[in-house]
Amino acid sequence: MEVQTLTFIMIGASFALYIAIAIWSRASSTREFYVAGGGIHPVANGMATAADWMSAASFISMAGLISFMGYDGAVFLMGWTGGYVLLALCLAPYLRKFGKFTVPDFIGDRYYSQTARTVAVICTIFISFTYVAGQMRGVGVVFSRFLEVDIVTGVIIGMGIVFFYAVLGGMKGITYTQVAQYCVLIFAYLVPAIFISVLMTGHIIPQFGFGATLQDGSGVYLLHQLDSLSHELGFTAYTEGVKSKLDVLFITFALMVGTAGLPHVIVRFFTVPKVSDARRSAAWALFFIALLYTTAPSIAAFARVNMINTINGENNQGISYENIPNWIKNWQKTGLIDWQDKNNDGRMYYSGDDRNEMIIDRDIMVLANPEIANLPNWVIALVAAGGIAAALSTSAGLLLVISSAISHDLCKRNFMPNITEKQELLFARVAAGAAIGVAGYLGVHPPDYVASVVAFAFGLAASSFFPAIIMGIFYKGMNREGAVSGMLCGIGFTAAYIIYFKFIVSPSMNVSDNWWFGISPEGIGTVGMLINFAVALVVCKLTPAPPMHINELVESIRRPV
């Protein structure tokens, strides 16, 4: 059966499953819409959290970035996994005990200020829309290749599916849908990795194949082969980095503390019955996340070796365009691979110097990996379904955060405190629908690769929410003036830096030469976080201390039951 037919079947079946779950778990109250009624089992919540957190950036883009960046790509692995540990140990149980199911709710009540709540709402919407732009781009990439539709059509299809189960089911529908999506995405990620590991190294476990010798009889280790190919073709050695140590540190830390400040992940810990269940679901989520994250370096290395060999042919002399494999032709149709015959010899050549004739979008590597390795068509279709599941699962969580920020934190808590629960639920659904429209536009016009866009969102979360939350839990003396000032300065600086270097500076300039202390836009969130802490502490010392009942509130959060 052809790839496109199999892809239609698998994606169609998964969509039918998601819609059926949404209908079955339709939210009938605001509590079910926002936090699924607070009755989700820790194991199921762990799966849903993993699916919510492992977005299109994790499934589609991360291994692609590692494949191209090599050693430098490890910042994404270290930052995102380390951040989840930080969230699980330092924040989740305390926020769950506090009992408020949105970050603006916590900020508003902890800092006894409607202004603080409003600033938190603005930060939430800004962060979530930045994040969801990456997810919608992932949806467009998958559809443009496997369903052979343009990216705009693909994004519209994805918007329709998310609209149905996010608006209808709310958090209750999203949670059970994300359990199904996790099963789809992890199966789709591991199956081709196992296939290729066996073919290339003889190891059934990809993590072992990553450090093993190749099956071609050469006795050469996989990573040694990659380093050799990279040197020969003018690339930096795969196991060596070119980023400065300061930038690596700042990117890793921004991703780490950004994870701990992401509103759509934090809300997950309110969907379980008890504080102890929040800790258990965090542990399960870490296990489910580790299955994908420990496999990503293997997929990156396998894909890199196979891609270079299939493009450049034997002895790296290039390959005649008439003889190129079908996977290159298929991806050329999407515009995500381009070939410019510089020397007019009719042969493709891929290198890291002036001889290079290929432009390859990094976001295609995981999706193209089964095709490059000549795996069965059903594996190719399975990966497409997994990519869609990863993008849609996170999109739904983000859209719910946006809708709850608008309906609950802005309308209910600020402007219309007397609205009924039915009216609030209606506002939440309307807000979710409007948010999907904006998310679709951002998916069609994304600012960068999926993982890079998501990294910007993590930087914004690191510079705004993390200091306010961590000081709100562990520092009784932090007051509303300090928290609000810190959030505004932190996110303002980070957003300005990202916008300047990604949208204002001319692409023809050597942008990295103008980075502040050599820190890239992906890592600037760490500087924004430090500015947030500094401004908050200074302003706090110059303004009145928080009232006594706030000190008692903070004590109660930290006191074990």
Side-chain angles (χ1 to χ4, degrees), residues 41-43 46 269 274-286:
H41 191 277
V43 176
F269 297 102
K274 299 177 293 185
V275 176
S276 59
D277 290 335
R279 293 183 184 275
R280 290 171 59 202
S281 67
W284 278 109
L286 191 58

Side-chain angles (χ1 to χ4, degrees), residues 7 42 121 364 389 456:
T7 304
V121 169
I364 75 168
F456 300 153

Side-chain angles (χ1 to χ4, degrees), residues 394-407:
T394 304
S395 297
L398 290 165
L399 293 167
L400 189 70
V401 164
I402 293 169
S403 70
S404 62
I406 294 172
S407 62

